[in-house]
Amino acid sequence: MTGNLHAGALLLAAAPIGRPEDASPRLREALSAAPVVAAEDTRRLRRLAGDLGVAVTGRIVSYYDQNEASRATELLAELLAGRDVLVITDAGMPGVSDPGYRLVREAVAHDVRVTVLPGPSAVTTALVVSGLPTDRFCFEGFPPRKAGERSRRFAALADEPRTMVFFEAPHRLAATLEALAEAFGADRPAAVCRELTKTYEEIRRAPLGALAEWAADGVRGEITLVVGGAPEPAGLSDPADLAAAVADRVAAGTPRKEAITAVAKENGVPKRVVYDAVVAAK
């Protein structure tokens, strides 16, 4: 695919997550040259431009969660008319828990060239400083705000083997850590990364239970949370051994259904696997 030769280019620009001096020379150049700049917060954009000593000469438009869908249509029209559009969020990379995805999708569908101005990311910054495994990880964004939805989300992630990265608002951090400790176990290792790259940066590494107790007194600042993945099961796996373990519990007076549940939990295997092992052993 050669691309739409008459269209402008969509540039996704990563913004500093803390210190303005982390901005690259390419960001300075792009901000000064782009005909259209779509900013999550236009006031913060102007403040960043001032800190960088850059004059933004292009048209500045707001582009945030509440107007993302309608604004994407407008920005696509600018691109199709041959004008380059630069998208920048408050911090980090557009499209990562920030506006950007819808416009990229539309641009790709219309054969518009999409390129990235790489730079800071709270996700990878927190990951590498957490002290947790980095070879495999997943980004889960912001957890649900409602307690029930949050608990269900974490229950679904309890067996995730990869390191997990979350964003969270400081006033919800304690509740989130408590819910994580309940779903994953209080001993699961984690790290709360607060105010990354800023003057008062703090990295607190501890089990989830201890972090929940610490956060109960209140936490301020931008938060990125990194949680270790589920450990590899260390229990029984052979069907004959699982069936024997259930049989031992039943012989001791435990109802078979409860025995199957207990053996499955202790050995980190699905209940269905244990049930099938019991049936096959008959």
Side-chain angles (χ1 to χ4, degrees), residues 26-281:
R26 286 187 63 199
L27 178 59
R28 291 179 170 88
E29 180 182 354
L31 283 174
S32 66
V36 181
V37 178
E40 185 178 11
D41 186 324
T42 57
R43 292 171 299 179
R44 293 187 66 167
L45 168 66
R46 291 188 172 92
R47 189 181 311 127
L48 174 62
D51 290 338
L52 299 179
V54 172
V56 180
T57 58
R59 184 167 71 93
I60 299 175
V61 299
S62 61
Y63 183 46
Y64 52 93
D65 288 338
Q66 285 70 32
N67 76 351
E68 182 179 6
S70 60
R71 189 69 86 189
T73 301
E74 176 187 334
L75 294 174
L76 178 64
E78 295 279 5
L79 289 163
L80 294 177
R83 286 179 284 274
D84 294 346
V85 174
L86 182 148
V87 175
I88 187 167
T89 63
D90 290 348
M93 180 62 69
V96 181
S97 280
D98 281 321
Y101 163 70
R102 287 184 176 86
L103 181 56
V104 171
R105 181 182 61 188
E106 291 299 318
V108 170
H110 287 80
D111 206 13
V112 171
R113 185 168 71 92
V114 180
T115 187
V116 173
L117 200 168
S121 166
V123 176
T124 52
T125 301
L127 176 68
V128 298
V129 80
S130 69
L132 295 168
T134 60
D135 55 335
R136 297 181 66 216
F137 72 94
C138 58
F139 174 58
E140 290 292 329
F142 283 92
R145 297 186 179 187
K146 295 182 179 179
E149 294 177 6
R150 186 168 57 227
S151 295
R152 287 190 291 273
R153 173 74 61 80
F154 292 159
L157 290 171
D159 295 327
E160 170 58 61
R162 296 171 294 180
T163 300
M164 292 161 276
V165 183
F166 301 88
F167 288 159
E168 188 53 289
H171 63 279
R172 290 195 294 270
L173 179 62
T176 290
L177 287 167
E178 289 176 2
L180 282 167
E182 181 177 349
F184 295 179
D187 294 333
R188 181 78 68 90
V192 173
C193 305
R194 189 179 70 84
E195 295 289 88
L196 284 168
T197 77
K198 300 177 184 176
T199 302
Y200 298 104
E201 176 181 277
E202 178 183 15
I203 314 298
R204 187 170 288 264
R205 306 173 184 88
L208 285 169
L211 288 173
E213 293 180 7
W214 162 75
D217 293 332
V219 178
R220 294 182 180 181
E222 299 285 339
I223 303 294
T224 306
L225 176 61
V226 187
V227 182
E232 290 291 332
L236 303 175
S237 59
D238 183 83
D241 292 336
L242 292 170
V246 172
D248 289 342
R249 287 177 177 269
V250 171
T254 303
R256 191 179 76 158
K257 184 176 181 180
E258 293 181 16
I260 290 173
T261 299
V263 170
K265 184 175 181 180
E266 285 180 2
N267 294 280
V269 296
K271 286 192 292 185
R272 182 70 192 181
V273 171
V274 181
Y275 175 81
D276 290 344
V278 171
V279 172

